[in-house]
Amino acid sequence: MNDNALITVTDLKKHYNGGTVKALDGINCRIKKGEKVVIIGPSGSGKSTLLRSLNLLEIPTSGSIVFDGEEITSKKANINKHRQKMGMVFQHFNLFPNMNIIRNMTLAPTKILGKNKDEADAKAIELLTRVGLADRAEAYPQQLSGGQKQRIAIVRALCMEPDVMLFDEPTSALDPEMVGEVLDVMKSLAMQGMTMVVVTHEMGFAKEVADRVIFMDEGVIVEEGTPYEIFNNPQSDRLKSFLSKVLV
Amino acid sequence: MFRPCFVFKIFRKGERMKELWNEILFVFGDGRHELMINGFLNTLKITAGALVLGIVIGILVAAVRSSFDKNRESMKKRGGIGYWVLSIINAVCKVYLTVIRGTPVVVQLMIMYFVVFVSAKDGVPVAIVAFGINSGAYVAEIFRAGIMSIDNGQFEAGRSLGFNYVQTMRYIIIPQMFKAVLPTLCNEFIALIKETSVAGYVGVMDLTKSGNVVAGRTFEYFIPLFTVAIIYLVIVMALTSLVGRLERRLRKSER
């Protein structure tokens, strides 16, 4: 059953304070190669925790995550190796402020993958060109707008040639007029067949791009399905009330 | 030769300048200037040695303390001997910080010289060790504060790219930390330079002690002590401007 699953999450739990706070309370899901999964839900529902658990930035209390055929939650797994194949984009960009853009992008490929500088630079420039920021290669993060920073953060992750991209509310910290440029980059990435897991409040993006939408609340997956099923035919009351608040 | 009102006299008339110059020639004559130069060099040696030792100790202790704080949860979960080793080293570091910061440096120096290294003939290396260990405690806390001041997102960004803990520290956190703590670090170095002036307690001929010896031999206090004060001031000003230049250069790289 797992033949084409890139990530399989089984009964994942994340408890804080000795179990009094259950951020994740038994999550099961599979993400196939090339699939675009959008996770939605009210704040505090555990969607970011789930995403951050996928590359073990959050250490789950129990349960297992299998990535590319290997259980990364086991003690023996080399998580650094797996993280190289899982690109992550953060709400607050997290570019390295003391390095210019090109260095931000080539640091990991040169230090981890052992690429030489020219090779890494060429790859970075190619990616920068794709997001229309090749002329800013020598700039520092401080000199860029929020939208530009987030586009850089996306291509920085792409420099490692990941198998899956994880997006943690990539547009939530942006000014409204900059949301579009970031979503456009994400859409084109989706069109190229990248496997994507996106936590977002952009319902338009979910409708347009997602193969599957997961609705979470209080640490569990309440409903999942195609965007049409989720947005046009919600089953649970919680999803209905959530949608009535976000879709005006 | 002992003239208590000298300090007021010299500014009264220009002709007194010649008198002052003669005074200086007398005070540092008869080979006494070598005493001062030797003292100055000893102070530089002690400061430089203690600085290096302090930074090395500081980096190590700060690395242990902050990595223990950061990895405690995940290491405990993974189990194994690593967690226990790290928590024991962490406890040792905590004791070190408490004891060193809780006792006067001059007492630590005397313990080093009269108890730990009883057979030492030369006091300078002992002073380097004593001041280095002392400074290390303060530098460690400065570094730890610097590491904590870096946004956790930087750390997560590094880890999510596939860097391990040590690489993330080395390539991403430490360079930013260093820039953030530079002014505080400079402060600690200034304090260290001046703290070495108690080295005379264990018979080390540092700058202060030399000035005192010259004063004792000539019964002239004004010139030797002001000379000592001016030399300390110049060392500190030189260091301050050096750090200031470094700071500006690091800042420029961002704009």
Side-chain angles (χ1 to χ4, degrees):
Chain A
M1 115 186 200
N2 282 343
D3 46 326
N4 60 351
L6 187 61
I7 304 175
T8 308
V9 178
T10 312
D11 199 26
L12 195 72
K13 290 183 182 169
K14 174 73 181 178
H15 294 177
Y16 293 104
N17 297 340
T20 48
V21 181
K22 295 174 176 171
L24 297 178
D25 201 14
I27 300 286
N28 292 288
C29 69
R30 292 172 56 211
I31 292 146
K32 286 180 278 190
K33 262 199 183 83
E35 195 178 22
K36 289 96 184 104
V37 177
V38 172
I39 305 174
I40 59 171
S43 55
S45 60
K47 52 196 193 307
S48 273
T49 310
L50 173 59
L51 191 81
R52 289 159 54 80
S53 295
L54 293 181
N55 67 355
L56 298 194
L57 283 183
E58 300 281 352
I59 313 242
T61 311
S62 67
S64 80
I65 299 165
V66 175
F67 171 64
D68 210 10
E70 202 175 332
E71 187 182 341
I72 59 175
T73 37
S74 89
K75 281 177 189 174
K76 279 166 268 162
N78 178 2
I79 183 58
N80 300 314
K81 203 89 201 142
H82 295 297
R83 281 190 183 133
Q84 293 165 22
K85 291 281 145 204
M86 304 168 121
M88 182 143 192
V89 176
F90 300 88
Q91 182 177 355
H92 295 288
F93 330 128
N94 297 351
L95 298 178
F96 308 132
N98 55 333
M99 303 174 199
N100 63 16
I101 297 310
I102 193 94
R103 182 101 180 105
N104 258 282
M105 295 174 66
T106 55
L107 185 72
T110 52
K111 302 291 181 195
I112 299 176
L113 301 181
K115 282 190 181 179
N116 67 39
K117 191 179 174 299
D118 294 340
E119 203 183 338
D121 280 358
K123 171 88 182 163
I125 294 289
E126 179 207 318
L127 284 164
L128 280 174
T129 311
R130 241 161 65 186
V131 295
L133 288 170
D135 56 328
R136 307 312 308 271
E138 300 294 326
Y140 281 83
Q142 278 184 343
Q143 302 164 322
L144 303 181
S145 71
Q148 289 175 326
K149 280 185 205 171
Q150 196 61 296
R151 283 187 278 160
I152 298 293
I154 293 171
V155 287
R156 178 177 72 177
L158 289 176
C159 274
M160 290 296 282
E161 292 167 8
D163 292 336
V164 58
M165 286 285 285
L166 310 174
F167 293 86
D168 189 4
E169 305 200 20
T171 56
S172 298
L174 297 176
D175 288 343
E177 76 264 34
M178 291 170 182
V179 170
E181 62 190 70
V182 171
L183 291 181
D184 285 343
V185 170
M186 291 169 65
K187 280 175 202 162
S188 80
L189 193 60
M191 241 127 54
Q192 287 155 29
M194 174 64 76
T195 313
M196 292 165 70
V197 184
V198 186
V199 170
T200 188
H201 295 291
E202 295 293 329
M203 297 304 151
F205 178 81
K207 277 182 199 168
E208 189 179 339
V209 177
D211 297 319
R212 185 151 56 99
V213 177
I214 292 176
F215 172 67
M216 284 183 70
D217 194 18
E218 292 176 358
V220 295
I221 294 178
V222 178
E223 231 179 297
E224 61 182 307
T226 63
Y228 185 85
E229 288 166 354
I230 291 290
F231 291 109
N232 299 60
N233 190 17
Q235 302 296 312
S236 64
D237 290 340
R238 274 191 283 181
L239 177 54
K240 280 177 198 160
S241 100
F242 175 74
L243 290 177
S244 72
K245 282 170 203 152
V246 294
L247 301 176
V248 186
Chain B
M1 279 304 155
F2 179 64
R3 282 174 244 170
C5 294
F6 188 72
V7 62
F8 300 108
K9 277 199 236 162
I10 57 163
F11 296 113
R12 215 182 285 157
K13 275 178 187 168
E15 72 207 43
R16 301 283 188 192
M17 289 307 288
K18 195 166 164 43
E19 197 183 326
L20 174 68
W21 179 243
N22 287 334
E23 204 66 37
I24 291 172
L25 287 182
F26 162 71
V27 168
F28 296 121
D30 206 9
R32 280 184 289 265
H33 68 284
E34 280 172 19
L35 214 61
M36 292 297 286
I37 292 171
N38 185 45
F40 170 69
L41 291 179
N42 274 344
T43 287
L44 281 192
K45 266 187 234 168
I46 295 171
T47 306
L51 205 85
V52 173
L53 186 60
I55 290 179
V56 171
I57 294 176
I59 288 175
L60 292 177
V61 172
V64 169
R65 297 268 291 118
S66 57
S67 66
F68 181 75
D69 286 346
K70 201 149 230 162
N71 297 332
R72 186 185 343 215
E73 194 194 350
S74 66
M75 282 185 82
K76 204 170 185 177
K77 194 151 286 165
R78 281 178 160 244
I81 193 105
Y83 173 75
W84 295 107
V85 172
L86 191 60
S87 56
I88 288 168
I89 300 175
N90 181 58
V92 171
C93 288
K94 268 185 165 169
V95 171
Y96 161 74
L97 292 172
T98 310
V99 171
I100 294 298
R101 293 194 302 164
T103 54
V105 65
V106 64
V107 175
Q108 293 164 17
L109 179 69
M110 289 199 284
I111 289 174
M112 275 291 167
Y113 189 73
F114 295 120
V115 182
V116 181
F117 296 107
V118 214
S119 54
K121 289 187 196 75
D122 185 2
V124 173
V126 179
I128 289 177
V129 171
F131 287 115
I133 289 176
N134 180 267
S135 181
Y138 294 95
V139 172
E141 287 300 272
I142 292 171
F143 282 165
R144 194 169 69 90
I147 290 170
M148 287 198 310
S149 77
I150 305 298
D151 178 25
N152 199 39
Q154 293 291 311
F155 187 80
E156 292 186 343
R159 295 306 300 268
S160 78
L161 284 168
F163 286 111
N164 63 32
Y165 178 80
V166 175
Q167 288 172 322
T168 307
M169 281 309 209
R170 180 172 157 207
Y171 294 123
I172 295 156
I173 305 297
I174 305 259
Q176 294 184 51
M177 174 277 280
F178 185 71
K179 193 157 66 176
V181 302
L182 209 51
T184 330
L185 207 55
C186 177
N187 219 18
E188 163 58 21
F189 293 161
I190 289 173
L192 173 66
I193 292 168
K194 292 178 299 180
E195 266 175 6
T196 61
S197 63
V198 298
Y201 264 86
V202 296
V204 174
M205 270 297 186
D206 76 321
L207 184 56
T208 306
K209 184 73 177 175
S210 303
N212 207 20
V213 166
V214 169
R217 285 192 193 167
T218 57
F219 299 110
E220 180 63 80
Y221 282 82
F222 172 75
I223 292 174
L225 293 184
F226 268 76
T227 308
V228 167
I230 289 169
I231 294 175
Y232 277 116
L233 187 64
V234 169
I235 299 175
V236 170
M237 281 165 64
L239 181 79
T240 311
S241 88
L242 212 70
V243 173
R245 211 174 297 173
L246 185 61
E247 246 176 84
R248 274 194 299 279
R249 219 182 62 190
L250 286 176
R251 240 199 331 256
K252 209 184 281 172
S253 72
E254 276 179 29
R255 293 173 204 282

